[in-house]
Amino acid sequence: NVNPDLASERQTASFSVEKLTALLDGGTEQTRIRRAVVEAIESDPVFSRENQYFQTQNERYEAAVRKAVHLQKKMHEMGWTENGPEYKYIYRALSGDVAFLLHRVFMRSISVLGSDKQIAKWIPLGTQHKLIGSYAQTELGHGTYLQGLETTAVFDTATQEFILNTPKISAMKWWPGDLGRSATHTVVFAQLYIHGKCYGIHPFIVQIRSLQDHSLCPGITAGDIGPKMNFEHIDNGYLLLKNVRIPRENMLSKFCEVRPDGTYVRQGSQQINYFTMTTVRISLISDEVLTPLMKACTIAIRYSVVRRQSKLKPGEQEAKILDYQTQQEKLLPQLASAYAFHFTNDYLQELFNRGYREIQRKNFDMLPELHALSSGFKAVITQHCTAGVEICLRACGGHGYSLLSGLPSLYTKILASCIYEGENTILLLQTARFLIKCFMAASAGQPVPPSVTYLAAVKHGKCPAKNKLDFLSPDIYTEAYQHVAVRLISSTAAKLQDLIQSGVKKHDAWNQCTVQLVQAAKAHCHYIAVKNFAETVEKLETKAGIQKIMKHLCDLFALHGIFSNTGAFLHDGYTSAAQMDMVTASYLDLLAVIRKDAVPLVDAFDFTDKSLNSALGSYDGQVYQRLYEWAQKSPTNQMSPAYERYLKPLLHNTLSKL
Amino acid sequence: AAAMSVNADLRRERAAATFQPERLTHILDGGPERTRRRKEIEALVLNDPDFQHEDLNFLSRSQRYEQAIRKSSLMVVKLREYGIADPEEIYWFKSFVHRGRPEPLDLHLGMFLPTLLTQATPEQQDRFFMPAWNLEIIGTYAQTEMGHGTHLRGLETTATYDPSTQEFILNSPTVTSIKWWPGGLGKTSNHAIVLAQLYTQGQCKGLHAFIVPIRQLGTHEPLPGITVGDIGPKFGYDEMDNGYLKMDNFRIPRENMLMKYAQVEPDGTYVKPVSDKLTYGTMVFIRSLIVGDSARSLSRACTIAIRYSAVRHQSELKPGEPEPQILDYQTQQYKLFPLLATAYAFHFVGAYIKDTYHRISGDISTGDLSELPELHALTAGLKAFTSWTANAGIEECRMACGGHGYSRCSGIPDIYVTFTPSCTYEGENTVMMLQTARFLMKSYSQVTSGQQVTGMVSYLNDLSRQRIQPQHVAARTVTMRINDPTSLVEAYKSRAARLVESAAKNLQSELNHRKSKEDAWNRTSVDLVRASEAHCHYVIVKLFTAKLAEVSDAAVHAVLTDLCLLYALFGISRNAGDFLQAGILTSAQITQVNQRVKELLAVIRPNAVALVDSFDFHDVHLGSVLGRYDGNVYENMFEWAKKSPLNKTQVHESFHKHLKPMQAKL
């Protein structure tokens, strides 16, 4: 029983929704597997999220633990394994609402940083959940800047133990997931001291809770860090260590070892480890960043064709709010971004797979470029998508503000991604450092990595567009983006050099240019994203209307970027004022074109109603009925003690006091 | 001893300030006497044990509602005990009691009682006002429906007059017509002023207001024919029982229609109201409150982020040196100082609207409403402009606090979720911007038809003068004096003129191509919103600049001038495209502006903490561990976390329920 306003939107799709879904999944077989996993999870009532908006922090946590435990059973039942093709869809199917996510990080860090002996000892324990692990890096006083961590591990040759301490309040471990209530063990990052000398940050396996009764081990203080904007189901925790002794064998020692006599030995190359950290940034993009934006677009766009408000033409029915240009201008660019970054993600994944193969062959040449791309894109995509979800939220007016819309929780969850795995500004500055270096190298005629070769071929032209249709040519807009990136990078490099030549110290000069450097790094990533989208479109099959609609989205993504940042494109006259009017005209025309396919474009994301968990975004568009019925289940509609305790006296007795 | 415990970084910051924060506080409050009185009222609340309670972050929604109701009841009693009656003083008292959060009696005090005063007949006031004043009647204002918000004409609730019984029959005929969102409706109120389409003698007479009893006095049970409840959990507003209301053939006496203006006579004859301009007044007033709220909410977020950034040390700026305060990083200053300047700008804009409103509402009673349309149009846009900017700004402040900003202990999540609905309520922002645009288009066409316009839009008069000359407005590069706010006001003025003109021309060209006016308007609406934004931006820069002239203290004047320049130049830098495209500024000038913005960051840096101290938020009101006046952040985060609900027991029950059985099985 689909709302006719939504049904009519689906009848006019210019492309095959099913084919687009398959394209997004990477093939029809992948679509089939994903749907099977989703079906298996969603048909199991233990995994239901229907009541999550009504639950307290304690209830959310308990439900997440219950689900995590049940998931083990489910996987066994279904024959899913960690290496199977189903595995990557499980998390998406659960919408991340499950405990022990850090357990996986714990396991991975042992696999990557541990010696063969350590792997043999700990991994089976973890796999069988004889212990639950966490990963304790961030401290109260230190986050992204790892060298600043203050926890210490002092080697005691007499007992062959490390003594771990959090010597001051700011050294307390703070934020690690699963640490507050669940974990029995954790990997603690601490400054290693041997015979009074500091050897820097190293990882140690520390048991924090009893395997018998779950009570805290001696010397350990741990607990939950309290309510957050989201992740109520996760017990992010704190950890204080007071003279906690662990055996020498508990330092993860694939790369560094402390011998019994206290000799410190470095072994092997850490670059593979470094590479692993870089991959984490890329691996979060799909599940943690793109999925929430795609869900938010689905909810907001479906709701916008069901919601009618005000009249466009006198005497007619009230118009669907998606028919308002201002509403299109809010939502459709977010939709285009979701597709654009989906393809960026494909590009990065492929690049990283290639990088991984090279590294296994002991070729580390790609590392700096991969690091720069992963840092920059992690920052740009998380920032862009977070802003996008918020726009979707506000575009749904008052009802978007209800938790039952699903949008507030999507927003509060995605925005954490701007902070974890490296604070965005710091990441962008890392990308900028790479760009400046490459620019200097390119100017000196030295070879540079493929993604920055454009820096070597600086062209000083003007934008050749003659009419608004020219701006629908990928060559025209890609070149405009390239021009802006080159201009920002080269002018910042010049500014840095000027400052240094005028006697300013290098680090001061750097700090004075950081605002520009951040802009340059963003421009670089934006250029790559546009270029990659355009190239992807060219390779798509022309059948079933897919290429055509993707081309429209690519154009919209590119022109929206110009329209919302006109200053960068007008600066130095690359684009003229008249050309900018053409951009605006083409951009606004595109909104009306894509409007027609907006609903099929979000349908193609293929989210089930259960996974959207939204009264506004369901497939059948029965928005108001669902909102009304769901609200009645709210615990606040059970009799509240507030009436008897406060309202009644207020209504009856307070008169005397007034 | 208290001074000793202040974090050393903050002490150093405060000692280095070039001005006295109290002086600036006085300016924000409207004089030293107002500051004294505000603090006096603040002390009444803070020293009152009745208003103490556990940190709200650790309470469930039901518990938060209960606390709020408890405090609200006490608040009403105490306000009268203390004889606090001035609206601003009531506002202070209320916001200290509820720490800047909404409360279940908001709609009773802010809408129900005032509506009775303005729209009820003397007879109706006799029946309802005193019981409402004494809280036997608790009322709310039920306008928004599930299917309709800002577009009031679309409301579907009906009130059909039945002359045989002299009653109105109220109905919610569809699911979409269910009243949805009104604060205090879900659980608290026993009456509601309901807006419904009036039908009498078979004709629809449009929206009118009716006093509808919804719950039984005494038992508080819903009356027969009434379905009422809470709409469920929201992003914020946990203390508020936003509610739904469905009416099925619910009958109320004819005398329950608010009939000061429009009337239905016993036989069903409808008597039209004299003028509907008066409703403008209320809207202007409420929107002016939102502008002030934008300023305050952004100020609170800035206070937290800037103090924390002075306490937090991270990474290295110079090799070998200790970790610097994160406020010393240019990127951090670039995030926070423009927002600080914005908060000040909005304070002055809020004060301006309030003053203008009071001046004009004097005229309303004497009949001169000539300025009302402009003020109405202006406040719509300013409400949208300031709430959008503050909404984004609060989030930027939170992000600038990194991971700890994400914790509820930072207080910023709460500020954000409490503030963000103001982008929607009292007029959805895009719709507001388009209202301002409508006024701008009207003014523009007046100018093109040879009339003069006055007030804030008078710059449009220059357009016609320029048209006589061969030079197009867009080709007029100004010699901008980068350190002179008045010169920057001129640049903003040119931008607004150019965008208004361009929107008007695009609108005209759409009209030339299409049949319907509405269609043309819709197809130009992105341009129209841009024009409104540019107009509002100009007004804000102008008002901030004008404020400087009123500041006599030289040190305060100097620091406010820096902020005003930063506000204006940052806005140019961010919107460089508009200035470049219109030929108002050259690329070289933009580069100069960008450079000057960065210099100003360094100039403002030593005064940053003093500038947020001047907002003078008490720690209790700020509700933030990161933003504490004493800067003892980390110790107090730990203390705070220990109180978390998950920490109530040493071993969480989930261990026994789930973990242990699992481990046993494996």
Side-chain angles (χ1 to χ4, degrees), chain B residues 117-278:
Chain B
L117 282 177
T118 54
Q119 295 185 40
T121 61
E123 295 78 7
Q124 289 174 323
Q125 297 209 11
D126 284 347
R127 276 171 61 213
F128 294 106
F129 191 78
M130 278 323 285
W133 178 253
N134 290 330
L135 295 166
E136 282 168 73
I137 287 177
I138 297 177
T140 179
Y141 190 82
Q143 175 175 297
T144 302
E145 295 173 0
M146 210 190 262
H148 286 94
T150 303
H151 179 64
L152 290 184
R153 272 166 300 167
L155 293 180
E156 298 173 90
T157 302
T158 57
T160 310
Y161 185 63
D162 176 357
S164 66
T165 60
Q166 304 217 3
E167 287 171 320
F168 292 103
I169 310 163
L170 281 116
N171 270 300
S172 318
T174 58
V175 177
T176 45
S177 73
I178 297 173
K179 295 290 177 187
W180 199 267
W181 281 113
L185 173 64
K187 307 264 91 176
T188 313
S189 301
N190 53 25
H191 280 69
I193 288 176
V194 169
L195 270 87
Q197 305 286 357
L198 166 65
Y199 284 87
T200 181
Q201 297 175 335
Q203 278 185 314
C204 181
K205 300 291 180 187
L207 277 189
H208 289 77
F210 303 84
I211 302 176
V212 180
I214 55 174
R215 286 177 186 271
Q216 185 71 51
L217 297 182
T219 64
H220 211 56
E221 291 293 332
L223 294 165
I226 296 285
T227 309
V228 64
D230 175 84
I231 62 161
K234 296 144 297 186
F235 207 177
Y237 273 54
D238 281 357
E239 292 77 10
M240 182 69 102
D241 54 324
N242 297 85
Y244 58 79
L245 171 67
K246 187 168 176 297
M247 294 169 293
D248 296 300
N249 290 317
F250 189 76
R251 287 176 172 262
I252 55 169
R254 185 183 67 90
E255 295 78 15
N256 277 26
M257 174 174 140
L258 288 174
M259 292 209 259
K260 185 165 176 183
Y261 301 108
Q263 284 159 19
V264 171
E265 291 176 351
D267 66 351
T269 308
Y270 178 74
V271 183
K272 266 210 289 204
V274 194
S275 156
D276 51 0
K277 259 192 183 167
L278 288 153

Side-chain angles (χ1 to χ4, degrees), chain A residues 353-372:
Chain A
N353 291 341
R354 189 143 38 95
Y356 187 68
R357 289 194 297 273
E358 289 300 315
I359 285 164
Q360 282 182 318
R361 290 207 294 259
K362 303 279 175 218
N363 174 10
F364 300 109
D365 292 352
M366 279 178 79
L367 263 181
E369 184 186 28
L370 291 177
H371 178 66

Side-chain angles (χ1 to χ4, degrees), chain B residues 187-497:
Chain B
K187 307 264 91 176
T188 313
S189 301
N190 53 25
H191 280 69
I193 288 176
V194 169
L195 270 87
Q197 305 286 357
L198 166 65
Y199 284 87
T200 181
Q201 297 175 335
Q203 278 185 314
C204 181
K205 300 291 180 187
L207 277 189
H208 289 77
F210 303 84
I211 302 176
V212 180
I214 55 174
R215 286 177 186 271
Q216 185 71 51
L217 297 182
T219 64
H220 211 56
E221 291 293 332
L223 294 165
I226 296 285
T227 309
V228 64
D230 175 84
I231 62 161
K234 296 144 297 186
F235 207 177
Y237 273 54
D238 281 357
E239 292 77 10
M240 182 69 102
D241 54 324
N242 297 85
Y244 58 79
L245 171 67
K246 187 168 176 297
M247 294 169 293
D248 296 300
N249 290 317
F250 189 76
R251 287 176 172 262
I252 55 169
R254 185 183 67 90
E255 295 78 15
N256 277 26
M257 174 174 140
L258 288 174
M259 292 209 259
K260 185 165 176 183
Y261 301 108
Q263 284 159 19
V264 171
E265 291 176 351
D267 66 351
T269 308
Y270 178 74
V271 183
K272 266 210 289 204
V274 194
S275 156
D276 51 0
K277 259 192 183 167
L278 288 153
T279 49
Y280 275 5
T282 323
M283 283 197 275
V284 168
F285 178 69
I286 289 174
R287 286 171 194 165
S288 81
L289 291 183
I290 295 176
V291 174
D293 198 32
S294 302
R296 268 183 303 276
S297 299
L298 184 56
S299 305
R300 285 170 73 192
C302 283
T303 304
I304 295 165
I306 287 178
R307 284 186 187 154
Y308 175 64
S309 298
V311 170
R312 175 97 171 166
H313 290 251
Q314 202 74 181
S315 196
E316 56 183 17
L317 264 176
K318 291 175 195 168
E321 287 195 8
E323 293 181 87
Q325 295 162 288
I326 58 173
L327 200 54
D328 285 333
Y329 290 96
Q330 190 190 53
T331 46
Q332 189 76 351
Q333 295 168 5
Y334 190 73
K335 286 175 199 171
L336 296 177
F337 295 168
L339 295 174
L340 179 63
T342 304
Y344 274 95
F346 289 1
H347 268 289
F348 300 135
V349 174
Y352 166 84
I353 301 179
K354 203 172 72 183
D355 293 348
T356 313
Y357 170 73
H358 285 309
R359 184 170 57 75
I360 296 183
S361 52
D363 298 337
I364 290 175
S365 45
T366 56
D368 179 9
L369 304 176
S370 56
E371 279 184 81
L372 205 50
E374 183 186 358
L375 189 67
H376 180 245
L378 182 64
T379 48
L382 286 174
K383 179 262 177 184
F385 189 98
T386 58
S387 61
W388 265 337
T389 311
N391 185 68
I394 294 164
E395 280 297 77
E396 280 181 65
C397 287
R398 187 186 52 69
M399 293 290 263
C401 295
H404 294 333
Y406 192 72
S407 166
R408 291 263 169 184
C409 81
S410 75
I412 307 183
D414 243 344
I415 297 173
Y416 174 73
V417 298
T418 306
F419 180 76
T420 191
S422 55
C423 295
T424 307
Y425 61 56
E426 299 304 334
E428 197 277 328
N429 276 357
T430 302
V431 179
M432 292 298 97
M433 279 298 185
L434 289 171
Q435 276 186 15
T436 300
R438 210 171 277 282
F439 180 79
L440 292 173
M441 291 304 108
K442 209 174 118 191
S443 304
Y444 180 82
S445 63
Q446 280 172 339
V447 168
T448 47
S449 66
Q451 285 170 270
Q452 287 276 309
V453 290
T454 56
M456 289 289 185
V457 286
S458 56
Y459 60 83
L460 293 175
N461 295 327
D462 299 346
L463 286 173
S464 62
R465 229 171 291 136
Q466 279 149 15
R467 197 156 294 104
I468 302 165
Q469 295 155 10
Q471 211 182 33
H472 184 253
V473 61
R476 190 173 59 121
T477 310
V478 294
T479 35
M480 186 182 62
R481 295 178 307 280
I482 203 161
N483 287 316
D484 177 5
T486 49
S487 171
L488 303 180
V489 173
E490 289 304 308
Y492 275 92
K493 191 193 268 188
S494 307
R495 169 183 174 234

Side-chain angles (χ1 to χ4, degrees), chain B residues 527-569:
Chain B
D527 290 327
L528 290 164
V529 170
R530 283 177 76 191
S532 286
E533 282 177 335
H535 176 69
C536 293
H537 211 158
Y538 152 70
V539 169
I540 295 168
V541 173
K542 181 184 157 83
L543 292 175
F544 198 166
T545 303
K547 185 75 194 174
L548 296 176
E550 297 170 24
V551 177
S552 53
D553 182 299
V556 172
H557 186 271
V559 71
L560 279 181
T561 304
D562 293 337
L563 284 176
C564 181
L565 283 171
L566 179 63
Y567 181 76
L569 292 171

